[in-house]
Amino acid sequence: MKMMSMGALAALSLGSSSCTQAQMEEFLQKRFREMTEAEKKEVIQRLEETYLRKYGKKFGISTQPAGSGVLWGYGLDLSRCIGCRRCVYACVKENNQSRINPQLQWIRVVRLKKGSLINLENAEHYYNPETVPEPGFMYMPVQCQHCENPPCVRVCPVKATWKEPDGIVVVDYNWCIGCRYCMAACPYKGRVFNWSEPNIPADELNTDVHYLGNRPRMKNVVEKCTFCVQRVRNGRYPACVEACPTGARKFGNLLDPSSEIRYLIENKRVFRLKEDLNTEPKFYYFFSA
Amino acid sequence: MEAWIFFKRTVRMVFVGTKAYYLWCAFLLAIIGAAITFYTKQLDAGLIVTNMRDQVSWGLYIGNFTYLVGVAAAAVLLVIPAYIYHFDPIKEIVVLGELLAASAIIMALMFVLADLGRPDRFWHIIPFIGILSFPNSLLAWDVIVLNGYLVLNTIVPIYILIKTYFGKEPTKNFVIPLVLLSIPWAVGIHTVTAFLYNGLAARPFWNASILAPRFLASAFCSGPAMALIIFQVLRKTAGMKIKNEALFKVAELMAYAMFINLFLLGAELFKEYYTATIHLAPMQYLFQGLHGHHALVPWIWSAMAMNITAFLIFLIPGTRKNLITLNIGSLLIIVGVWIEKGLGLIVPGFIPDPLGEIYEYLPNINEIAISLGIWAFGLFIFTLFMRIAIPIQRGDFVHSKYGKAAVKRQYERIKP
């Protein structure tokens, strides 16, 4: 019955236009969490073929699930951040964000006058000096905080976004209907929207991707930081951690008592952004000096 | 068989009319046609053709959606007195009020569809076929209550009209429970729509408990205002039976609703301005401008002036019972509440954004064209509804057994 009605719907919306079988399959594709292993395999194969046709490049799409006993946490040392935005551009490159029109970035670094931290109304988003850091200012990078209690997940009308067992909040780009309710619900501006077909020069594409992470997206769907799910599930650091020239960015397993992130939480004075909203971010800011 | 003949006759009916009727329909169809070309462009290029961006991710479409849910909810203002207090002069306009509600809901749903990035994945939201995140997502609640309300407001008037066509009295045991149900349901659709915004802690401008009551109060102004204008037009053009007495009664109820609306707004303004926390910023942006950005300031002050003027017009019996001032007041309310609940409610929710950035939004030509197209479509549907409903209610379009069964171009006017 379900298949029949979906088939009818498919026929209705695509019937008149000539469409390939791949398009039809994409239209009927299930939500990632409902797929069996065999179905996942089929989808991955189709996606790899589609990407090859579209970008002329061979992609490796992983569906690697979360490891057990892992809950990822992030630390950011505000006394070390110099506001250079290297993390921003490393992220764009690693995660295949659209470069122009729209230019999407998952990390936003804001410049704050020293003396004011909580009131972001005076934050400068588009600071552009010759050199950083500038005297009298501090810098605060903000990205998806991977809340334990994520308001974006709660509001999604079709469950296209969810929290993985290792705590990463992900989006199924093929299930998102583009209503942007999650963007309205996020208190951290952690989500950005593909207002048009993403523009990425073919030679800058990262072909080492995860289905729930940095695979190329399509127009009119939402996307966000995934802590570089394609990397961290393979024992690597997120690209922003690697790119930071001052070592301000820390990453690790919150469930591992000997991890660096646990050390920081226990020994530094950490705080989380907008804690009063009870979103329980797994993104900890601290001052080492 | 009888049903088939009835259906054929109604279809024939909508193709027959006066010159003004044809012109009006052609006008609406032209707007719809133009809007389709703009929508095709949006489908093709993506939502980049709008002025919405990551900072202000909802705009004119969602503003219109919110406003129209209010118009639809306000049908109860016509239903309550008719059924509970047996206020006869209003009774005859209930069917038309409910069809207005149905048209408004259709428009509201179309605005959501226009705002949707991936309309091709619309099936994802259909219960049982896709995945509807009920009860977690308020948007899922809205999908359910809006469609339910649409069904309710279509069944009741169509049932009454068919019964009337066949010369029978509508069965009270069927109609009354549905009508009684539609009253709390109307409150429900607007409450759920308010909660959609209200439930977002990230947006202090919406995260105020006064939002749902304010929504209802302003809806009970704008919906009836629209009804007042439409009914007078229909009285002139289609010979609809409606007495001035009924119009004045509705106007009186609107005065109370506008008073509550202004009072609740005042309560909100006091709280925000007296405490003056950082959560005042969106309100400041709306009413005064913020850090040199004041795109909405002239809009909201015009809306304030319109709403207060209309309140006075509807409060004073002399102006309330004068058709000219009554119509001026109605138009002021329609526009004033549209600004207040459209751009004035949606946009400041996003300004400043959660990280303090200010992106000024005003809709562009694509959004305006598509929005006008949806309004034209709603008016077109409503026009067709009226083309059938009014002759039936007048007793001009009935089964041949019960009267002269002529499809006439125009029926003679009835003196108000």
Side-chain angles (χ1 to χ4, degrees):
Chain A
M1 185 60 210
K2 196 166 164 174
M3 278 321 289
M4 261 171 62
S5 39
M6 287 207 293
L9 265 163
L12 222 86
S13 44
L14 297 168
S16 55
S17 62
S18 59
C19 70
T20 63
Q21 197 187 337
Q23 278 170 324
M24 188 62 134
E25 279 170 14
E26 187 189 328
F27 176 77
L28 291 174
Q29 188 177 316
K30 283 199 227 169
R31 191 173 79 118
F32 184 72
R33 285 178 103 177
E34 261 82 52
M35 290 180 202
T36 62
E37 284 307 312
E39 284 171 330
K40 278 182 191 168
K41 244 187 206 133
E42 259 175 56
V43 166
I44 295 306
Q45 200 193 345
R46 196 194 71 232
L47 269 177
E48 287 178 348
E49 282 163 14
T50 310
Y51 289 155
L52 184 64
R53 258 199 318 277
K54 193 167 170 190
Y55 302 107
K57 285 206 162 183
K58 176 98 191 67
F59 275 75
I61 307 173
S62 158
T63 55
Q64 190 183 342
S68 60
V70 181
L71 191 66
W72 298 116
Y74 206 106
L76 204 144
D77 185 352
L78 288 174
S79 46
R80 284 194 186 202
C81 178
I82 55 167
C84 66
R85 294 201 186 100
R86 281 197 181 89
C87 50
V88 176
Y89 293 100
C91 169
V92 165
K93 221 171 150 204
E94 166 70 24
N95 290 300
N96 291 324
Q97 274 123 284
S98 175
R99 303 297 202 274
I100 49 154
N101 213 6
Q103 185 186 40
L104 299 188
Q105 291 163 359
W106 292 352
I107 305 173
R108 183 162 288 238
V109 187
V110 297
R111 187 181 74 181
L112 302 162
K113 272 208 184 79
K114 277 188 180 157
S116 169
L117 188 59
I118 297 300
N119 184 359
L120 292 170
E121 207 187 304
N122 299 313
E124 175 56 55
H125 290 244
Y126 302 99
Y127 67 91
N128 193 20
E130 283 287 310
T131 54
V132 283
E134 304 151 275
F137 292 107
M138 54 174 289
Y139 305 88
M140 180 161 74
V142 185
Q143 61 209 71
C144 172
Q145 309 278 305
H146 295 276
C147 307
E148 268 302 280
N149 180 18
C152 53
V153 167
R154 189 166 20 156
V155 300
C156 178
V158 292
K159 300 187 184 174
T161 180
W162 62 87
K163 194 178 69 185
E164 287 273 290
D166 54 1
I168 300 178
V169 176
V170 293
V171 179
D172 182 347
Y173 312 116
N174 278 69
W175 193 257
C176 171
I177 57 171
C179 72
R180 311 188 296 295
Y181 198 9
C182 55
M183 297 175 76
C186 175
Y188 307 102
K189 210 178 181 172
R191 289 167 172 261
V192 290
F193 194 67
N194 287 284
W195 296 94
S196 75
E197 195 64 41
N199 294 303
I200 314 165
D203 57 323
E204 287 180 30
L205 277 167
N206 177 6
T207 53
D208 187 9
V209 299
H210 193 284
Y211 182 90
L212 298 172
N214 58 339
R215 69 183 168 106
R217 275 77 67 187
M218 59 292 274
K219 73 176 174 212
N220 285 351
V221 298
V222 82
E223 61 179 57
K224 59 183 286 302
C225 158
T226 64
F227 277 166
C228 284
V229 62
Q230 69 281 1
R231 289 168 148 253
V232 298
R233 285 186 184 169
N234 277 314
R236 298 172 70 194
Y237 276 124
C240 49
V241 173
E242 274 183 10
C244 181
T246 63
R249 290 172 169 271
K250 312 288 182 191
F251 186 77
N253 182 1
L254 291 168
L255 301 181
D256 174 5
S258 61
S259 66
E260 191 180 14
I261 186 76
R262 280 287 288 273
Y263 176 85
L264 293 169
I265 292 171
E266 278 150 32
N267 295 288
K268 304 288 175 189
R269 279 143 188 85
V270 300
F271 74 96
R272 292 178 295 176
L273 217 47
K274 306 196 187 187
E275 259 181 341
D276 49 332
L277 300 183
N278 256 346
T279 50
E280 302 285 340
K282 292 192 290 291
F283 201 100
Y284 296 85
Y285 292 92
F286 65 98
F287 294 91
S288 63
Chain B
M1 197 55 214
E2 287 287 0
W4 175 241
I5 294 171
F6 170 67
F7 178 73
K8 271 204 310 199
R9 289 183 65 199
T10 55
V11 170
R12 203 179 326 141
M13 190 87 179
V14 300
F15 282 102
V16 178
T18 59
K19 207 181 229 170
Y21 173 77
Y22 289 134
L23 272 176
W24 170 244
C25 289
F27 169 69
L28 293 177
L29 287 171
I31 296 178
I32 295 167
I36 288 172
T37 63
F38 281 94
Y39 185 64
T40 320
K41 194 165 115 191
Q42 180 182 305
L43 270 186
D44 194 45
L47 286 165
I48 191 118
V49 303
T50 70
N51 270 353
M52 294 185 277
R53 288 299 176 264
D54 288 336
Q55 294 84 349
V56 178
S57 47
W58 281 339
L60 185 65
Y61 299 146
I62 296 298
N64 272 305
F65 157 75
T66 312
Y67 179 76
L68 284 163
V69 172
V71 171
V76 286
L77 199 66
L78 306 173
V79 173
I80 293 172
Y83 282 87
I84 298 191
Y85 303 112
H86 303 287
F87 184 69
D88 275 334
I90 292 189
K91 207 164 186 171
E92 54 210 18
I93 62 178
V94 165
V95 167
L96 311 189
E98 293 206 339
L99 287 174
L100 174 63
S103 312
I105 287 286
I106 290 171
M107 284 189 260
L109 292 171
M110 285 177 79
F111 271 111
V112 174
L113 208 58
D115 186 69
L116 213 56
R118 307 289 316 198
D120 54 324
R121 298 181 188 164
F122 180 75
W123 67 271
H124 293 185
I125 208 165
I126 302 170
F128 306 110
I129 297 173
I131 296 167
L132 188 66
S133 179
F134 187 84
N136 274 340
S137 172
L138 260 301
L139 205 55
W141 282 71
D142 227 6
V143 167
I144 294 169
V145 294
L146 288 179
N147 282 298
Y149 192 69
L150 175 60
V151 171
L152 207 55
N153 276 291
T154 325
I155 286 182
V156 173
I158 288 180
Y159 171 77
I160 293 177
L161 289 174
I162 290 178
K163 278 283 185 182
T164 315
Y165 172 84
F166 287 107
K168 291 182 189 120
E169 269 292 306
T171 315
K172 280 226 158 68
N173 288 342
F174 177 73
V175 175
I176 299 290
L178 285 182
V179 168
L180 289 178
L181 177 64
S182 76
I183 294 169
W185 203 304
V187 176
I189 59 165
H190 217 28
T191 306
V192 169
T193 305
F195 285 177
L196 194 89
Y197 309 105
N198 201 179
L200 305 178
R203 311 283 171 181
F205 185 68
W206 297 334
N207 194 218
S209 6
I210 209 162
L211 199 70
R214 257 189 82 189
F215 263 44
L216 286 168
S218 62
F220 288 158
C221 304
S222 57
M226 210 169 274
L228 284 189
I229 300 278
I230 288 173
F231 292 149
Q232 287 178 70
V233 170
L234 290 175
R235 185 161 74 179
K236 278 232 163 68
T237 58
M240 180 184 147
K241 281 197 275 185
I242 177 153
K243 299 194 183 98
N244 278 341
E245 193 195 355
L247 299 181
F248 300 151
K249 191 76 202 166
V250 173
E252 191 187 331
L253 296 175
M254 284 164 66
Y256 306 146
M258 187 45 100
F259 171 75
I260 296 171
N261 185 34
L262 292 171
F263 173 76
L264 293 180
L265 174 68
E268 195 170 13
L269 284 173
F270 166 76
K271 180 253 182 183
E272 294 298 349
Y273 270 96
Y274 192 79
T275 53
T277 67
I278 54 173
H279 293 167
L280 174 64
M283 199 65 100
Q284 260 176 328
Y285 171 72
L286 181 61
F287 282 94
Q288 299 170 273
L290 194 64
H291 302 303
H293 301 276
H294 20 61
L296 288 183
V297 175
W299 289 87
I300 196 66
W301 284 107
S302 322
M304 288 296 114
M306 289 180 203
N307 287 350
I308 291 169
T309 313
F311 169 62
L312 295 174
I313 288 176
F314 283 68
L315 185 69
I316 302 163
T319 44
R320 181 172 70 226
K321 292 183 178 163
N322 175 326
L323 281 183
I324 296 170
T325 43
L326 179 86
N327 286 336
I328 292 172
S330 298
L331 287 175
L332 289 176
I333 285 188
I334 291 171
V335 179
V337 174
W338 183 84
I339 295 171
E340 190 194 316
K341 271 175 98 174
L343 294 180
L345 175 90
I346 302 303
V347 178
F350 294 102
I351 298 175
D353 84 0
L355 299 186
E357 189 182 348
I358 297 177
Y359 166 84
E360 285 216 282
Y361 166 90
L362 278 177
N364 66 13
I365 182 72
N366 295 300
E367 293 168 86
I368 293 169
I370 292 171
S371 299
L372 284 175
I374 295 173
W375 275 96
F377 183 81
L379 285 174
F380 183 64
I381 296 255
F382 184 71
T383 305
L384 300 190
F385 277 153
M386 290 303 104
R387 183 73 193 106
I388 314 281
I390 294 170
I392 291 181
Q393 288 214 307
R394 285 175 47 120
D396 289 321
F397 180 54
V398 289
H399 192 277
S400 49
K401 231 192 308 188
Y402 307 102
K404 47 184 180 12
V407 175
K408 285 201 244 169
R409 283 188 185 273
Q410 190 169 23
Y411 302 94
E412 71 283 2
R413 285 190 201 162
I414 291 173
K415 277 247 172 326

